[in-house]
Every structure is written in structure tokens, then in C-alpha cells.
Amino acid sequence: MSQRPATELLALRAGRAVTATAETSGTAVLGTVGPSFDLTARLEPRTAGTAGGLRLVTSAEGTEYLDIGLDPLTGELVVDREHASLDPRAHGGTYRVPAQTGDPVDFRLVVDRAVAELYLPSGRTLTLRFYPTGGAPWPIEVRAHGGGLGYTVEAWNLRPYAMRQADESGARPTLADVGPVHP
């Protein structure tokens, strides 16, 4: 079964928050996003054995972050939430999603405050909660280890969703702001 984000998300995109295409062998800060955003990424290891990926930093001191990276040995996309929340009640964990090996890895990430949904072109998905305690804006970084990592990243902040509702008289629908999902 193949899954992908609802096409209605495209209409919720506000101004583009991040646009970056380059290569790094260390850390590159790409820009910041709000707590609800839609991101597309392509990661291209330039040499065999290169690991790395994206980091979403959710605290001002940089100690709270969600990592999404490539495992060069298994060809998997790894989502690590071990440091994703400073709240002692939050659970950590590392999750792996098979990705294409030897090729660039493309994915889409949709975040709504504490919920992250990862989509791969193969139709594989991963949904998780990560309970950030820091306030927005959140920096997005690309990190590489063991060689160069090419990347293309675009991110859009998302506007709150407005649901159409009919009033009691059956007159024209009105808009009610249901806002983003909160943890």
C-alpha cells in the first residue's frame, strides 16, 4: 500500500521558509521553520560510507532536536528521537525506514507541532510524536559525517486549516479555524 500526504496540504503552505541546495562535510544551518511545516529533501552521499541528514533543533540551547539521517551500511533512513524532547515523560527511540541504496534519498516531512510524518517515494511512511518543549522558530541543519553530503531542502510554514461549516439555518458555510493539532 502506498501512502502520501493529502494534496490539501499544498494549499496550506505559507511563504517558503527554507530553500537550500549545496554540499557539506560538516554542519550547515539552512534556516528556520515554525512549529507546523511541510519539507521536501534530497540527500546525496558523495562518497561511500557518508552518513548524515537533517536535524530539526527545537530548543534555543540546541539540546533538543529530532534527527533524520542516512545509515550508509543498511541504506535506511533513520529517525532518532532520543534528544527530541527535554520533557522527562517523553519517550525516545530510533526508527528505521528502508530507502533506496546507492542513490539519492528523497523524502517529505510534514510536522504539526509534536507530530512528524515522514513520506518516501516508495510509499513507505513513518508517523511519530516527539514532544518538543522549545519555542519556535526551529532551525533546520544538514549534518554530514565521513564524507560530503549533497542536499536540496525546501520547507514551507503551514497556515492553520480552516474547516467549512454550515450554520443552523443551512445558509452559506462559514469558516471556522480549527488550527493545528496540539499535543
Side-chain angles (χ1 to χ4, degrees), residues 17-20 27-34 36-41 43 53-58 65-68 107 109 111 137-143 151-157:
V18 173
T19 300
T27 299
V29 179
L30 307 183
T32 60
V33 292
S36 297
F37 64 91
D38 186 358
L39 176 145
T40 60
L43 303 176
L54 295 183
R55 175 171 285 183
L56 175 64
V57 181
T58 57
Y65 53 86
L66 179 70
D67 281 332
I68 301 169
F107 63 89
L109 177 68
V111 172
W138 295 336
I140 295 177
E141 302 173 351
V142 173
R143 297 172 159 253
Y151 59 88
T152 298
V153 177
E154 293 183 285
W156 298 262
N157 287 316

Side-chain angles (χ1 to χ4, degrees), residues 52-93:
L54 295 183
R55 175 171 285 183
L56 175 64
V57 181
T58 57
S59 69
E61 39 313 302
T63 55
E64 183 178 81
Y65 53 86
L66 179 70
D67 281 332
I68 301 169
L70 300 172
D71 182 331
L73 300 176
T74 65
E76 295 170 313
L77 201 56
V78 180
V79 180
D80 182 351
R81 67 176 190 175
E82 286 299 323
H83 301 280
S85 180
L86 296 176
D87 187 324
R89 299 170 295 170
H91 295 280

